[in-house]
Amino acid sequence: MIKTTIIGMGKIGYLYDRNKNYKKVTHFSSIKKSNNFKIVSVVEKNNKVLNIFKNQNKIPAYNNIFEAIDNHQTELLVIACELNFNTLRMVIDKTNIKYILVEKPFIISKKNLQILRKLLIKNKISLTINFQRNFSNNYIKFFSRIKNGLIGNQLKCYCYFNKSFEINATHFLNLILLFNKKLVFIKKINKDCIYIKFNKVDAYFFNVEKKYNNNSMIIFGSKGKIEISSRPEKAKLYLLQKDKTYKNINILNYKKIIKLYEKFPQLCVLKNIYETIKFKKNSLVSMKHIMEYLNIMQKIKKIS
């Protein structure tokens, strides 16, 4: 079993498990469900949260990251909170971990990005951000079809999100990078819109705040369009029918609904991590993909 340490026992790390009316799966519960991982320690700096965890679990809990890792020979480190880059740097350089899974938001400067890349290569450590869609076979197959011209080659994306870009819009940015990675430029149109131009995609990100409860993405191409919603998780595919026109305007006819999400998507992430550590397989998400994503995020933070 892969020895795992979780840093951050807040909402997404652990506390959501205590709310029976909340359906979001925490890192703690998803790892406990997997037969291939064992949580050997947790870290939490907030003593109130730490005591809540200690009262309900027998797993060793610490305030100090290095004690939690070194005392239990941690292989997988799950970071479910904001972590100072210097601390992360020391963890990579001074411990024997093999894989790091980072929760969003995760943004670092251009200088630190280069340092991070060199450290990961030097210490032979894999790092990925917890974008569950990247590990879903349904998403991988579907977006490879988009990349291969399912709805055309020159695309326009309209992404609608609430709250902050770092929390919700990052999911759509990550999806775009699955089928188009060559960044041209980034421009802030106004306080509610960011335009990102890729070589084959024009992407507009709109912060709709409280106007909509849902986050959604629409991708237009010369052959049709795709609508992706996150709650429920599905995609609607529309293809242009050349034989049906009205006043010289092509009508997009409904084609089909594509279910994209697995029942327990976090287990897809853990399965790939297990295979990467145990069998030295390549991660489904390359370091290049992660570095490109982080590069764009630090540019967005700079203009926001």
Side-chain angles (χ1 to χ4, degrees):
M1 298 179 79
I2 305 297
K3 296 177 181 178
T4 305
T5 294
I6 304 174
I7 302 177
M9 302 310 289
K11 292 179 179 179
I12 197 65
Y14 173 72
L15 289 180
Y16 276 142
D17 291 338
R18 302 176 73 245
N19 186 345
K20 294 181 180 179
N21 296 320
Y22 200 83
K23 295 181 180 180
K24 200 158 189 175
V25 178
T26 68
H27 288 287
F28 183 82
S29 61
S30 62
I31 293 170
K32 290 276 281 186
K33 283 179 183 177
S34 173
N35 295 325
N36 296 321
F37 295 82
K38 181 182 180 182
I39 301 173
V40 293
S41 61
V42 303
V43 182
E44 176 55 58
K45 289 189 175 181
N46 185 310
N47 286 325
K48 183 178 178 181
V49 176
L50 190 66
N51 288 331
I52 290 172
F53 180 84
K54 283 182 176 180
N55 289 335
Q56 298 174 344
N57 300 275
K58 294 181 180 180
I59 296 169
Y62 297 82
N63 286 119
N64 185 283
I65 294 173
F66 298 96
E67 286 181 12
I69 295 172
D70 293 337
N71 290 353
H72 301 278
Q73 294 81 49
T74 299
E75 297 170 276
L76 168 64
L77 182 66
V78 178
I79 302 175
C81 63
E82 288 189 33
L83 190 66
N84 179 278
F85 179 74
N86 288 330
T87 304
L88 176 61
R89 183 177 180 175
M90 289 178 67
V91 166
I92 294 171
D93 221 17
K94 305 294 183 183
T95 68
N96 294 316
I97 57 171
K98 297 175 181 177
Y99 203 114
I100 301 174
L101 176 65
V102 187
E103 190 52 74
K104 307 161 295 295
F106 178 58
I107 305 172
I108 58 177
S109 68
K110 187 175 181 179
K111 179 183 176 182
N112 288 342
L113 185 60
Q114 297 305 317
I115 295 171
L116 176 64
R117 184 177 180 277
K118 289 177 181 178
L119 281 172
L120 292 171
I121 293 171
K122 172 191 166 187
N123 292 283
K124 297 180 181 179
I125 296 172
S126 298
L127 179 145
T128 196
I129 299 169
N130 192 38
F131 289 117
Q132 297 171 357
R133 295 169 177 88
N134 290 15
F135 299 88
S136 161
N137 288 327
N138 292 340
Y139 263 100
I140 292 168
K141 289 175 184 176
F142 187 58
F143 275 83
S144 68
R145 291 178 67 195
I146 297 174
K147 187 177 181 179
N148 292 328
L150 175 65
I151 58 170
N153 294 318
Q154 203 66 38
L155 308 176
K156 279 192 176 181
C157 290
Y158 297 91
C159 307
Y160 304 91
F161 67 97
N162 51 33
K163 298 182 181 178
S164 69
F165 194 103
E166 293 86 353
I167 294 173
N168 285 324
T170 52
H171 292 280
F172 300 128
L173 172 60
N174 170 65
L175 290 179
I176 292 170
L177 287 173
L178 290 180
F179 61 88
N180 194 247
K181 286 182 166 59
K182 192 173 180 181
L183 175 68
V184 179
F185 65 80
I186 300 172
K187 182 180 180 181
K188 185 177 181 180
I189 305 298
N190 55 49
K191 67 181 181 67
D192 294 322
C193 178
I194 291 176
Y195 168 49
I196 305 178
K197 182 170 182 59
F198 298 87
N199 65 324
K200 292 184 179 180
V201 180
D202 292 304
Y204 296 85
F205 293 82
F206 298 97
N207 189 338
V208 293
E209 288 296 335
K210 296 180 180 179
K211 295 177 185 177
Y212 302 97
N213 291 323
N214 201 3
N215 296 295
S216 60
M217 176 184 189
I218 306 173
I219 309 171
F220 289 94
S222 58
K223 298 178 183 178
K225 73 172 181 177
I226 295 165
E227 295 177 356
I228 297 174
S229 61
S230 54
R231 293 179 186 173
E233 191 85 22
K234 64 183 179 181
K236 288 183 181 179
L237 170 63
Y238 299 78
L239 295 178
L240 279 168
Q241 307 295 311
K242 293 181 180 179
D243 58 329
K244 295 183 179 181
T245 59
Y246 178 72
K247 292 184 179 179
N248 298 322
I249 299 174
N250 284 316
I251 296 174
L252 285 165
N253 287 316
Y254 172 74
K255 188 72 175 176
K256 61 180 176 178
I257 294 176
I258 301 168
K259 293 181 180 179
L260 294 175
Y261 236 24
E262 278 82 0
K263 190 174 181 180
F264 298 110
Q266 189 64 21
L267 296 184
C268 296
V269 181
L270 293 173
K271 180 178 181 289
N272 186 244
I273 292 174
Y274 176 77
E275 291 174 349
T276 303
I277 294 174
K278 209 72 177 174
F279 306 116
K280 302 189 183 303
K281 288 187 177 181
N282 291 331
S283 174
L284 286 173
V285 184
S286 67
M287 184 184 292
K288 184 179 179 182
H289 179 96
I290 297 298
M291 292 300 136
E292 284 164 347
Y293 164 80
L294 290 172
N295 178 50
I296 293 173
M297 285 305 300
Q298 60 93 9
K299 290 178 185 293
I300 290 171
K301 186 175 182 180
K302 196 173 180 180
I303 65 171
S304 296

